[in-house]
Amino acid sequence: MRIETCSVSGAPIYPGHGMAFVRNDGKVFRFSSRKCRKLFERRVNANRIAWTKAYRRNHGKELSVDTTFEFEKRRNVPVKYDRELYSKTIQAMKKVSEIQEKRQRSFYFKRMVSSLKQRKMQVQREIKMSRDLIYAPVSAVGKAHTIKQKEESKKLDTEMKLKNTSSKKKQQEEEDSDVEIDE
């Protein structure tokens, strides 16, 4: 049993699903859904429909050039049954699919790096613009605390000034008393 691919969308078609259309020249087109068949009948270009595999590959949304795709090519050459060959083939298919998944993940993350940077910058701009909304509950308490601190610092400053002025006056008086004036 083969898993076919849709001629329009590129989606997999499992046995017993989808529709087939055979053109006069013998070419077989397979469709995963009625939607795909209608698009094919209207001769809509699959490269212009955003949800198709063709569009995604042409616009750099999916991995399009990879050596693992060579293993997926359809081969119509009959092979004599050999149990070892089939077991090796199945193991190779598993390895190829693992490699392909890793490459697709890395391709996706590389593609998303720029959008993540843009999103971070956008969030930082929003935070800068609306800082008062973020700090509002804390700032009310913080303002009261800073006002108290300012008042306390003013009191301390005035006390220090008073102490300094009183000590200066005492020093001057002491100096004046030490100095004798001869007349």
Side-chain angles (χ1 to χ4, degrees), residues 44-88:
V44 175
N45 189 353
N47 293 330
R48 295 184 181 175
I49 302 170
W51 52 269
T52 62
K53 291 271 189 187
Y55 176 91
R56 293 185 63 77
R57 283 192 175 136
N58 288 340
H59 289 83
K61 309 279 184 200
E62 278 187 13
L63 194 62
S64 60
V65 180
D66 193 17
T67 56
T68 58
F69 292 135
E70 290 293 319
F71 295 109
E72 290 182 2
K73 283 188 177 177
R74 187 172 177 166
R75 292 168 183 85
N76 289 325
V77 179
V79 179
K80 190 174 181 182
Y81 180 76
D82 184 12
R83 189 173 190 160
E84 287 183 37
L85 176 68
Y86 275 87
S87 64
K88 287 180 182 177

Side-chain angles (χ1 to χ4, degrees), residues 6-60:
C6 180
S7 300
V8 176
S9 67
I13 304 171
Y14 294 95
H17 295 271
M19 292 166 258
F21 171 72
V22 183
R23 204 165 49 188
N24 287 340
D25 62 355
K27 180 148 174 52
V28 179
F29 296 95
R30 299 189 184 276
F31 309 110
S32 59
S33 65
R34 190 174 289 163
K35 178 181 181 181
C36 294
R37 191 189 81 210
K38 292 287 186 184
L39 289 169
F40 178 80
E41 287 172 358
R42 289 189 319 192
R43 298 185 178 175
V44 175
N45 189 353
N47 293 330
R48 295 184 181 175
I49 302 170
W51 52 269
T52 62
K53 291 271 189 187
Y55 176 91
R56 293 185 63 77
R57 283 192 175 136
N58 288 340
H59 289 83

Side-chain angles (χ1 to χ4, degrees), residues 131-183:
R131 224 175 238 177
D132 57 328
L133 296 174
I134 296 170
Y135 295 117
V138 178
S139 64
V141 174
K143 284 181 183 178
H145 184 67
T146 53
I147 291 170
K148 286 180 184 178
Q149 283 182 340
K150 286 181 181 178
E151 289 175 1
E152 289 175 6
S153 64
K154 284 182 184 177
K155 285 180 184 177
L156 289 173
D157 288 342
T158 53
E159 288 176 7
M160 292 297 284
K161 286 179 184 177
L162 289 174
K163 285 181 182 178
N164 286 339
T165 54
S166 63
S167 64
K168 284 181 183 177
K169 285 182 182 178
K170 287 180 183 177
Q171 284 178 355
Q172 284 179 355
E173 288 174 5
E174 288 176 6
E175 287 175 6
D176 289 342
S177 64
D178 289 342
V179 177
E180 293 180 14
I181 300 175
D182 289 329
E183 289 182 20

Side-chain angles (χ1 to χ4, degrees), residues 122-132 134-135:
Q122 185 181 15
V123 167
Q124 288 175 348
R125 264 190 256 121
E126 287 179 20
I127 288 172
K128 284 181 182 177
M129 296 296 288
S130 58
R131 224 175 238 177
D132 57 328
I134 296 170
Y135 295 117

